[in-house]
Amino acid sequence: MDWLQEVKDDPTKAYCKVCCCTIRARKADLVTHSDCNKHKSTLGATCIKCTGSFQFKSNNFKMQHAQASMALFVSAHSAIIAIDHLSELCNTNFTGDNIKMHRTKCSSIIINILAPFFINNLREDIGTSKYSLLIDESTDISVLKFLGMAIIYYSRDKNDIVTTFFALEQLGECNAQAIVDAMKSALQKYNLDIKNLIGIGSDNASVMVGINKGVYAILKQENPNLILIRCVCHSLQLATSQACAETVPRHLDFLISESYNWFSKSTLRQQSYKDLYKCMNENHEPLKIVQACNTRWLSIETAVIEREECYSAEMLYTLYKDEHNLAYLLFLRPLLGEIQRVNKLFESEYADPTKLGSELISLITFLGKIIVVPSFNFTKSTNFTDHLNPKPYLGYGFENKVEDLKKKGKLSSDQEQQLQQRLPENIQILKKIEVFSPQNALKQLKEPISLICEYFGIENKIIEKIDLQWRNIVFQKWEKTKSAVEFWSEVNNFTDAGGNNPFEDFAALVLTILSLPWSNAACERIFSQMNIVKSKSRNRMKSPMLISLLHIRSDSIVKSIGTMNVYNCNVENEISEITEILDDLPAFINPYHVIFCNIIMFKK
């Protein structure tokens, strides 16, 4: 028995080298142990040598490749339980090898191989760059409190500003110190210096932005140059909600919410609505009755438009027959539409940061011009209450509907005041960033940027170099001048005849500033993905698996592979196109390669 050896100093015991356990040195016990399932299964996975040592059987490269590819496919697209069927399906139809992988092994590959690879990629991509963090709290389906973090930084490999999932830390308490500790724990895992943190983006909760004991106040003690950006989307939502609550009749909110409730749970009412709508609108498909959701920013704007369109329907008769309510909806439509347009710009991952400031200022000016006299200048004064227009023009639809409700211009006035109260710091920072748009940077006559450099904590000796580079940048010919990120990436990669970059300090400053957060939309996307991964049917999922799946699904390479273009490309070009996409991953986990190649052969 090669698996058996004696125990020194105790002749009554024997040691099993396979199971790593001691047993009594009696024939009956030895036979019983050799026949047990645990010993047999362990013995089958090992190769015992006569020398007394043993080693695991080495799987071939092709098998490891297939297992890692299938694990990555499952982690990106489906529940882990699907691997039980997928492995058997591939064995039966596509491969000649017997791929032995089920849920346990697949989970281990995801947690111990795939997720660490993508985490390490992210760590290396960030490097020593300056970065910003978006932070927010949420609760999953199993009522566990998490702090979600997204990171924004300039990637030298991609030459782009990257916003991606960073960490998900479980919170025992929801106070500021617990949140700060969770942030530091995440930064430590990535070996990131908190001094390189230039800004944090959060909602307007007091635990985040509190002056004395908020998260920002605690972090600023360690990083004096840290900048706080209040989520513009939250601010727009709160400003609009507050203004509506103070000026619009309460029954209008009831009208919008109850219309959805009336139809949502009755198929008979929905069918009656469809029949009536088609009858009234020449058999066109009916509009969907949208719910005004409290957790979705400015969803009321869509709901207002839909209620206006179906206003003639005889539902909720008492409210819908009142023409004054329609006038309110007609008044709200252009205001909420413009606010929603700006809100979506801040939610977008592709908006030009140097243009966001002008859009926000234009919104405030638009709202203000409705209720002040035309001669009032918003750029010189913010006190507009003494310059209200006694006869404001409140929109074509509203003016035509009811003349006597012009006094409701107070809503726009309240919105104007709310926005000015909630967004002063953001507006000032956005104004500073506008200076670095390609159009302003390439002007002959420029504004000085020394104050901006001081605001971001740049040393005096560096400010002198940056100021010189700021004035000299116009003397070079640049190609990518439409997008701010592309332009400054080109500046950052520029080299002169000696192989040096004369604009290195300046480009680094601007790319750092462009990495500031303006909206918590990235955090909300993380929580949406978290709720998709950890659903009611998967509520027992542990945090390591949840975090691993979020890291994999948020990776840009996996996202690009998971597009329909990859699956629908021509058979002749599939292998070459997919190989180009997969070159960035190591060979032993080249995702989907085995599955794709076998499916392609099957299609042929």
Side-chain angles (χ1 to χ4, degrees):
M1 296 182 182
D2 294 332
W3 51 268
L4 191 64
Q5 73 178 28
E6 63 179 355
V7 177
K8 295 181 179 180
D9 303 329
D10 191 352
T12 64
K13 297 289 181 66
Y15 181 77
C16 177
K17 296 182 289 186
V18 175
C19 302
C20 299
C21 65
T22 57
I23 49 181
R24 289 191 300 177
R26 297 177 56 188
K27 181 179 179 180
D29 292 338
L30 296 177
V31 172
T32 301
H33 179 77
S34 64
D35 291 336
C36 70
N37 293 332
K38 177 183 176 182
H39 179 80
K40 289 180 178 179
S41 61
T42 308
L43 185 63
T46 58
C47 180
I48 305 297
K49 293 184 178 180
C50 296
T51 57
S53 62
F54 69 93
Q55 61 183 11
F56 287 100
K57 292 180 179 178
S58 60
N59 292 325
N60 58 49
F61 174 81
K62 186 177 179 181
M63 182 66 69
Q64 293 176 342
H65 191 172
Q67 291 174 348
S69 299
M70 293 173 66
L72 184 56
F73 179 88
V74 167
S75 62
H77 296 291
S78 63
I80 308 299
I81 195 173
I83 193 63
D84 292 344
H85 185 197
L86 182 62
S87 59
E88 298 299 329
L89 179 67
C90 291
N91 288 334
T92 304
N93 296 282
F94 302 136
T95 66
D97 298 326
N98 186 20
I99 301 176
K100 295 182 178 180
M101 184 169 67
H102 294 280
R103 281 170 286 177
T104 303
K105 182 183 287 188
C106 182
S107 300
S108 298
I109 292 175
I110 291 172
I111 295 174
N112 300 314
I113 297 177
L114 298 181
F117 166 75
F118 290 111
I119 292 173
N120 187 61
N121 265 7
L122 179 59
R123 182 189 296 113
E124 292 179 353
D125 198 29
I126 299 172
T128 58
S129 301
K130 302 285 187 178
Y131 60 90
S132 297
L133 289 179
L134 296 166
I135 55 176
D136 202 359
E137 305 167 59
S138 184
T139 305
D140 69 1
I141 193 67
S142 57
V143 202
L144 294 176
K145 194 74 171 179
F146 285 99
L147 177 69
M149 286 174 273
I151 190 168
I152 307 176
Y153 66 97
Y154 175 72
S155 171
R156 291 180 173 83
D157 292 338
K158 301 180 180 67
N159 290 324
D160 197 5
I161 303 294
V162 174
T163 303
T164 188
F165 170 70
F166 181 67
L168 192 69
E169 295 287 331
Q170 188 171 338
L171 295 175
E173 299 179 82
C174 297
N175 55 45
Q177 189 59 54
I179 293 174
V180 171
D181 292 341
M183 292 177 64
K184 290 182 178 179
S185 174
L187 293 175
Q188 188 175 6
K189 293 176 183 177
Y190 283 86
N191 297 324
L192 297 181
D193 188 355
I194 197 172
K195 299 294 184 182
N196 288 335
L197 177 62
I198 59 169
I200 60 170
S202 70
D203 54 20
N204 293 286
S206 58
V207 70
M208 297 291 186
V209 301
I211 298 176
N212 298 320
K213 296 182 179 180
V215 172
Y216 172 67
I218 296 174
L219 290 174
K220 196 169 178 64
Q221 295 175 1
E222 298 185 41
N223 190 351
N225 296 320
L226 186 65
I227 298 173
L228 171 66
I229 306 292
R230 301 169 187 260
C231 177
V232 175
C233 297
H234 276 102
S235 298
L236 290 174
Q237 167 70 36
L238 292 173
T240 303
S241 300
Q242 184 68 22
C244 288
E246 294 179 358
T247 57
V248 175
R250 292 174 57 187
H251 67 259
L252 196 65
D253 180 66
F254 173 82
L255 172 69
I256 294 174
S257 60
E258 195 61 26
S259 295
Y260 174 83
N261 296 335
W262 177 261
F263 291 103
S264 61
K265 298 180 180 179
S266 173
T267 55
L268 182 61
R269 291 171 184 170
Q270 291 182 24
Q271 188 60 45
S272 299
Y273 162 69
K274 292 178 181 178
D275 295 340
L276 180 60
Y277 188 95
K278 288 182 178 181
C279 179
M280 297 172 59
N281 295 276
E282 299 179 350
N283 211 32
H284 290 171
E285 285 298 318
L287 296 172
K288 182 179 180 181
I289 299 179
V290 182
Q291 181 182 17
C293 179
N294 291 329
T295 58
R296 181 181 163 206
W297 298 319
L298 287 172
S299 64
I300 191 175
E301 186 264 344
T302 307
V304 165
I305 293 177
E306 302 295 352
R307 299 307 184 276
E308 177 203 335
E309 295 292 341
C310 66
Y311 190 84
S312 299
E314 295 182 358
M315 306 297 172
L316 298 171
Y317 178 74
T318 304
L319 292 176
Y320 275 110
K321 74 174 183 178
D322 188 348
E323 295 295 319
H324 289 76
N325 292 332
L326 177 57
Y328 280 115
L329 296 179
L330 291 171
F331 169 67
L332 287 172
R333 180 177 62 176
L335 299 181
L336 295 179
E338 185 64 17
I339 296 173
Q340 180 73 303
R341 184 187 68 82
V342 176
N343 179 69
K344 289 182 178 180
L345 289 177
F346 280 91
E347 288 183 26
S348 173
E349 295 181 2
Y350 309 105
D352 190 338
T354 61
K355 297 179 181 179
L356 292 177
S358 60
E359 292 288 350
L360 191 58
I361 294 172
S362 298
L363 171 63
I364 296 175
T365 305
F366 163 76
L367 295 174
K369 288 295 184 182
I370 295 176
I371 44 91
V372 299
V373 294
S375 59
F376 181 75
N377 190 343
F378 278 91
T379 60
K380 296 182 179 180
S381 174
T382 57
N383 184 15
F384 59 87
T385 54
D386 297 332
H387 303 273
L388 296 179
N389 190 344
K391 295 183 178 181
Y393 179 75
L394 302 179
Y396 174 79
F398 179 82
E399 295 285 352
N400 283 355
K401 189 65 183 177
V402 55
E403 290 290 335
D404 61 339
L405 289 181
K406 288 183 179 179
K407 60 183 180 181
K408 293 305 175 185
K410 187 175 184 299
L411 171 64
S412 181
S413 174
D414 284 353
Q415 281 181 319
E416 174 78 11
Q417 290 178 333
Q418 288 289 330
L419 289 174
Q420 289 191 355
Q421 291 174 4
R422 296 179 183 277
L423 298 173
E425 296 179 3
N426 288 14
I427 293 175
Q428 294 302 319
I429 297 174
L430 285 167
K431 284 182 178 179
K432 292 179 172 66
I433 292 179
E434 277 188 12
V435 176
F436 300 117
S437 67
Q439 293 75 20
N440 291 331
L442 298 179
K443 288 180 179 178
Q444 293 289 344
L445 299 177
K446 305 177 183 180
E447 300 179 18
I449 59 170
S450 56
L451 294 178
I452 299 177
C453 294
E454 292 175 359
Y455 180 83
F456 287 97
I458 306 299
E459 299 178 1
N460 291 336
K461 60 180 181 180
I462 304 297
I463 292 178
E464 294 179 359
K465 296 172 61 177
I466 290 176
D467 186 64
L468 181 62
Q469 295 170 14
W470 168 240
R471 300 185 185 283
N472 291 339
I473 195 171
V474 70
F475 301 120
Q476 294 291 336
K477 184 177 180 180
W478 307 101
E479 297 179 357
K480 301 177 180 179
T481 58
K482 293 184 178 180
S483 167
V485 176
E486 291 181 357
F487 172 74
W488 290 108
S489 295
E490 183 182 2
V491 175
N492 188 61
N493 295 326
F494 176 80
T495 54
D496 57 16
N500 301 315
N501 187 352
F503 308 105
E504 181 179 5
D505 298 313
F506 185 35
L509 169 65
V510 178
L511 290 172
T512 297
I513 294 174
L514 294 179
S515 300
L516 288 172
W518 302 112
S519 164
N520 267 29
C523 278
E524 301 299 337
R525 294 187 185 103
I526 290 173
F527 295 140
S528 296
Q529 192 66 242
M530 178 184 74
N531 292 329
I532 292 173
V533 172
K534 191 172 182 179
S535 59
K536 288 184 178 180
S537 59
R538 305 169 71 186
N539 61 77
R540 296 177 62 188
M541 180 182 292
K542 302 298 182 182
S543 296
M545 174 59 74
L546 174 61
I547 295 170
S548 298
L549 292 175
L550 290 177
H551 273 294
I552 294 171
R553 293 191 177 199
S554 64
D555 189 87
S556 59
I557 299 176
V558 174
K559 286 181 180 178
S560 65
I561 295 172
T563 59
M564 292 302 296
N565 293 333
V566 175
Y567 291 100
N568 293 334
C569 53
N570 295 328
V571 173
E572 293 78 7
N573 300 326
E574 280 180 337
I575 296 179
S576 60
E577 291 182 6
I578 294 169
T579 302
E580 291 178 2
I581 297 176
L582 303 179
D583 283 342
D584 292 333
L585 294 179
F588 76 96
I589 62 166
N590 222 343
Y592 314 140
H593 193 273
V594 171
I595 297 175
F596 269 125
C597 291
N598 285 292
I599 291 176
I600 292 168
M601 296 304 296
F602 179 74
K603 287 165 64 177
K604 288 183 177 180

